[in-house]
Amino acid sequence: MKILIATEKPFAKTAVDGIRKIVENAGYELCLLEKYTDTSQLLSAVADADALIVRSDKVTKQVVDAAAKLKIIVRAGAGFDNLDLAACSQKNIVAMNTPGQNSNAVAELVLGLMVFMSRNKFNAGTGVELKGKKLGIHAYGNVGRLVACIAKGFDMQICAFDPFIKKEIIQADGVIAVDNIEELYSNCDYVSLHIPANEQTKKSINRKLLNLMPKGGCLINTARKEIIDEDDLLKLLEERADIKYATDVAPSNILELQQKFDTRVFATPKKIGAETAEANINAGLAAANQIVNFFKHGDTTFQVNR
Ligand code: 3PG
């Protein structure tokens, strides 16, 4: 049985060592394709793989079709918008993610970006404090919940909007569960995005919504670039000299935004939300264990293409 790790952005070595141990203890073989630069390399590497572990790597229909023996793909991470689920289902390939495993790394980055933007991107000049400000969490999943938990340490007032989670669950964490999305954006000095990228959410963060933010509002996006209406964001930054935007998932028009609004816009040079040793180890080892449990016991917990 051949388990392939295909990562354009490799896991930390400690994570790969841990994955290897799990795979080899189960009697399987581990193969590595790291930092590949062309899809053709992925297409040939998957040809004889029984299982595949990826991060944000695009697993298209072409990749799935090239993998004649593939039975399971695990996206070591939360978002699975990089997997063609229909193509997987068509070939009876089980697709999974590893929810929660890298959430803390992303949540810590959110607070880091908030401090960075509030202190003029660490340049001289008077900044503002997070204490007492309102933070809006747009979607209260694994990352959103941890952002709330850390933000409490900053003594922020925290609101959240998530139509898929019962208000009582949000309120049990000492977080105000607002009734609608407009209320979240109108009331909060900072809004942190934690929605997935799918047909319902793409471009859903638009000018109408962002324009509701109070004076000095700061939007933090560690989720996906596709959820932002990029033309609207540009227009809003032009119209409102008080609005700030910090992101770990740079929009396509980042150069233009940086040129025009350097003091108010920040994007990490590469997506680094889950780039910690701990997150790599948690997500990588979970992926390996899920594959072994699938082959040994038929366990399909965390399957996302049912
Ligand atoms: C996720 O969805 O888990 C995060 O966006 C991390 O993605 P990455 O594995 O590409 O760093």
Side-chain angles (χ1 to χ4, degrees), residues 83-124:
L83 311 181
D84 186 331
L85 295 185
C88 292
S89 299
Q90 217 171 39
K91 293 194 69 185
N92 284 326
I93 295 169
V94 169
M96 293 183 183
N97 64 350
T98 64
Q101 299 291 347
N102 57 18
S103 307
N104 187 66
V106 181
E108 287 188 10
L109 182 68
V110 170
L111 271 296
L113 289 171
M114 284 166 58
V115 172
F116 183 61
M117 295 310 280
S118 304
R119 294 300 186 94
N120 306 315
K121 296 169 69 173
F122 294 163
N123 287 307

Side-chain angles (χ1 to χ4, degrees), residues 9 55-56 75-79 102 224 271 274:
K9 188 172 64 178
R55 294 185 61 177
S56 289
R75 189 282 191 245
N102 57 18
R224 289 292 182 270
K271 186 171 159 218

Side-chain angles (χ1 to χ4, degrees), residues 1-5 28 46 49-54 59 63-64 67-75 83 88-89 91-98 286-296 298-305:
M1 199 84 76
K2 186 167 155 179
I3 318 298
L4 173 69
I5 299 178
Y28 307 149
V46 293
D50 298 276
L52 175 62
I53 297 174
V54 292
V59 182
V63 174
V64 170
K69 295 169 67 186
L70 200 61
K71 292 154 202 78
I72 176 167
I73 300 173
V74 183
R75 189 282 191 245
L83 311 181
C88 292
S89 299
K91 293 194 69 185
N92 284 326
I93 295 169
V94 169
M96 293 183 183
N97 64 350
T98 64
N289 281 320
Q290 285 173 215
I291 287 171
V292 170
N293 287 334
F294 171 73
F295 283 131
K296 302 266 187 212
D299 186 349
T300 56
T301 312
F302 306 122
Q303 183 172 357
V304 291
N305 65 333

Side-chain angles (χ1 to χ4, degrees), residues 141-153:
N142 290 313
V143 183
R145 189 169 298 131
L146 286 165
V147 169
C149 178
I150 302 170
K152 274 184 209 163

